[in-house]
Every structure is written in structure tokens, then in C-alpha cells.
């Protein structure tokens, strides 16, 4: 069953309401309890706070009624994957707080992310709420991308540096020199003054920062363990598609947003870029060294 444009608009409005309510609660909160929920992957994937769970409860209060009415599945970070995403034509994909580490530290870089994804992995709705800036960005497939309800146009090409927005884990990883060396070479070839690295945010806000800059990217090399999950990228993938920017794996293929064998996303790497020309440069140089 394909949902009509009218239904998608209604569902997007509900997702915006849910993300905004959760985000406003997050903006008023500080974590009192920090738990370890797993022993693998990055620190960011291991920690959860009671605010994450409160955010999820607020979101589900709004979205749960849509599950039966529109026969939707549900995948959310803080609950076990029940497999409903493989039988429903669409499923909600929810990250109640992406960027838990910045949230714990009290620094910008965290957000609420909600997506509606088709069973074939195509993102059809993407909603991001930034509690620090009280800003909502959303997109509906075929209807465009919006920032605070207004069409969101990409920046002009007048910037002087190439920006890399990335996770803190990159700074201490073996990938750091490989990625930054490639991007410094690309910056020189583009006639830019250099490479600016920002490792202050989680995956969702990293992607939004890419869209807010004229020459920017977010890159993760392929790995079989960790590296982000479906809910980290589903919402922004839809927003990037509607903004005319690039959200693919490192090989240029679309994200596998309904991966059958895992919810992890970095098995083929991650690449967000402001335009295809920049994405092609990054792919060419990185893949030649993989």
C-alpha cells in the first residue's frame, strides 16, 4: 500500500508535533541517571539517560495511534526491534536523542530524529528537532525540505573552507589521518583555504551542519562493528534527498535503511555531502585507498 500525499503530510505534521514536544522537554532537562546499555561499539552507542526514555515516551504518545490506523511498523532506539519493519509497508524510525554525549556534557550537538521509511528502505518523511536552537527541519518525499516551516535552500558556493563534521570517535581512530589527508587534498584542488574539522555533534546534527555550509561533508569509512544505526541516518537521508544534497554509502549507493541482518549502518560507510561534485571527489580518493 502506498500512502497518499495527503496522508504523508498528516503523518509529517504529527511527527513534527512529537519531535517538538520531546525536544522542548529535552531543552528543559539535564540527565540525572546515565546507564550503560551495551558493552560494544562506541561510547555514544553505549550510554542512555532517563531523558532519552522520557523523550521516546512523548514521541510514542503521539505516534502510537498511527501504527494501527495506517498499518505502520515501529523501530526505535530504546526498544527491541520486533521485526515489524519487514512486514509493514512503512515504519517509523525514531531516535529520541541523537548525540547523547553532547547532551550529557551540556553542549550543542544533540537532536530528536523521526523518519518514516518504506519497507524497501526509501525514506519518505524526515523530521529533526534541535533543542538548543529550537529549530525543526523536515522533508516529505517529493514535497521538498523545510526549516521552521519554510523551504530550506542550500548555501551558495561562496565559502572559503571545506568543513568536515564528524563524531568525536574519529579524532582518536585509525581513520583520522586517511580521511583528513584526502579532504585536505580536495580542499586544495577546489581552491579553498583549508580543512575545518568539527567533532562536537552527533550524527543527526552533523548532517544538518553539512546542509548549513557551502562546502561540507560527514564521512565514516566501512566497518563491521558500530558506526551508527538506522535511526541515526533515516531522517536526515530524506531531508538531504529533498534538499538536492548527497546522502549515500561510501560507494555511492543509497543507504540500506531497512537492513535485514542488523540495525547498524556503517558496513558500507557513510557519506553526506553538500553536492555530488564534492561527493565524487571524496569517493574517488577514499576508495583508491581502501
Amino acid at each position: 500500500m502506498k500512502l497518499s500525499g495527503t496522508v504523508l503530510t498528516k503523518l509529517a505534521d504529527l511527527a513534527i508535533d512529537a519531535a517538538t514536544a520531546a525536544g522542548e522537554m529535552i531543552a528543559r532537562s539535564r540527565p540525572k541517571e546515565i546507564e550503560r546499555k551495551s558493552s560494544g561499539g562506541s561510547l555514544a552507542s553505549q550510554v542512555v539517560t532517563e531523558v532519552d526514555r522520557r523523550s521516546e515516551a512523548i514521541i510514542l504518545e503521539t505516534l502510537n495511534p498511527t501504527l494501527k490506523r495506517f498499518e505502520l511498523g515501529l523501530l526505535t532506539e530504546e526498544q527491541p526491534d520486533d521485526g515489524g519493519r519487514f512486514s509493514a509497508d512503512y515504519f517509523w524510525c525514531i531516535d529520541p536523542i541523537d548525540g547523547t554525549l553532547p547532551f550529557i556534557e551540556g553542549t550543542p550537538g544533540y537532536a530528536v530524529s523521526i523518519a518514516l521509511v518504506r519497507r524497501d528502505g526509501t525514506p519518505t518523511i524526515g523530521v529533526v528537532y534541535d533543542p538548543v536552537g529550537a529549530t525543526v527541519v523536515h522533508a516529505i518525499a517529493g514535497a521538498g525540505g523545510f526549516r521552521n516551516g519554510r523551504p530550506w535552500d542550500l548555501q551558495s558556493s561562496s565559502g572559503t573552507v571545506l568543513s568536515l563534521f564528524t563524531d568525536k570517535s574519529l579524532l582518536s581512530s585509525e581513520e583520522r589521518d586517511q580521511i583528513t589527508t584526502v579532504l585536505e587534498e580536495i580542499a586544495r584542488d577546489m581552491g579553498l583555504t583549508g580543512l575545518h574539522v568539527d567533532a562536537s555533534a552527533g550524527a543527526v546534527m552533523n548532517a544538518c551542519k553539512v546542509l548549513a555550509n557551502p562546502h561540507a561533508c560527514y564521512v565514516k569509512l566501512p566497518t563491521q562493528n558500530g558506526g551508527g544505526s538506522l535511526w541515526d541516518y533515516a531522517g536526515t537521508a530524506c531531508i538531504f534527498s529533498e534538499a538536492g544534497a548527497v546522502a549515500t554509502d561510501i560507494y555511492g549507493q543509497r543507504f540500506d535503511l531497512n537492513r535485514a541482518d542488523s540495525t547498524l549502518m556503517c558496513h558500507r560507510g557513510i557519506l553526506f555531502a553538500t553536492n555530488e561534485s564534492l561527493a565524487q571527489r571524496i569517493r574517488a580518493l577514499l576508495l583508491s585507498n581502501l
Side-chain angles (χ1 to χ4, degrees), residues 85 88-89 91 117-123 254-258:
R85 60 192 173 100
D89 290 327
F91 67 94
V117 182
R118 293 198 66 162
R119 184 165 52 187
D120 66 2
T122 302
R254 74 173 193 165
F255 289 145
D256 184 1
L257 292 173
N258 198 17

Side-chain angles (χ1 to χ4, degrees), residues 199-245:
S200 62
V204 171
M205 289 306 298
N206 278 331
C208 290
K209 288 182 179 184
V210 170
L211 281 184
N213 285 269
H215 311 291
C217 60
Y218 168 43
V219 182
K220 294 179 78 69
L221 296 181
T223 179
Q224 294 306 310
N225 299 302
S229 298
L230 300 176
W231 45 79
D232 295 313
Y233 304 110
T236 49
C238 183
I239 293 166
F240 265 62
S241 177
E242 292 304 301

Side-chain angles (χ1 to χ4, degrees), residues 34-48 77 100:
I34 300 171
E35 305 171 27
R36 290 286 183 111
K37 59 182 177 180
S38 68
S39 58
S42 66
L43 177 60
S45 68
Q46 296 174 27
V47 295
V48 63
E77 181 174 11
T100 299

Side-chain angles (χ1 to χ4, degrees), residues 108-218:
Y110 51 93
V112 178
S113 180
I114 301 174
L116 186 71
V117 182
R118 293 198 66 162
R119 184 165 52 187
D120 66 2
T122 302
T124 57
I125 292 172
V127 174
V128 171
Y129 185 86
D130 171 13
V132 176
T135 300
V136 61
V137 179
H138 84 279
I140 304 172
F146 302 85
R147 186 177 187 274
N148 290 333
R150 298 183 177 182
W152 191 12
D153 297 324
L154 297 186
Q155 295 288 322
S156 67
S157 58
S158 60
T160 60
V161 299
L162 175 61
S163 295
L164 168 64
F165 297 100
T166 186
D167 310 322
K168 286 185 177 180
S169 60
L170 177 71
L171 301 182
S172 58
S173 74
E174 297 178 356
E175 302 174 0
R176 176 178 179 172
D177 289 344
Q178 181 179 352
I179 291 176
T180 55
T181 298
V182 162
L183 294 179
E184 286 168 352
E185 179 179 342
I186 291 172
R188 288 193 298 270
D189 290 344
M190 293 174 65
L192 302 175
T193 58
L195 176 67
H196 169 69
V197 179
D198 182 334
S200 62
V204 171
M205 289 306 298
N206 278 331
C208 290
K209 288 182 179 184
V210 170
L211 281 184
N213 285 269
H215 311 291
C217 60
Y218 168 43

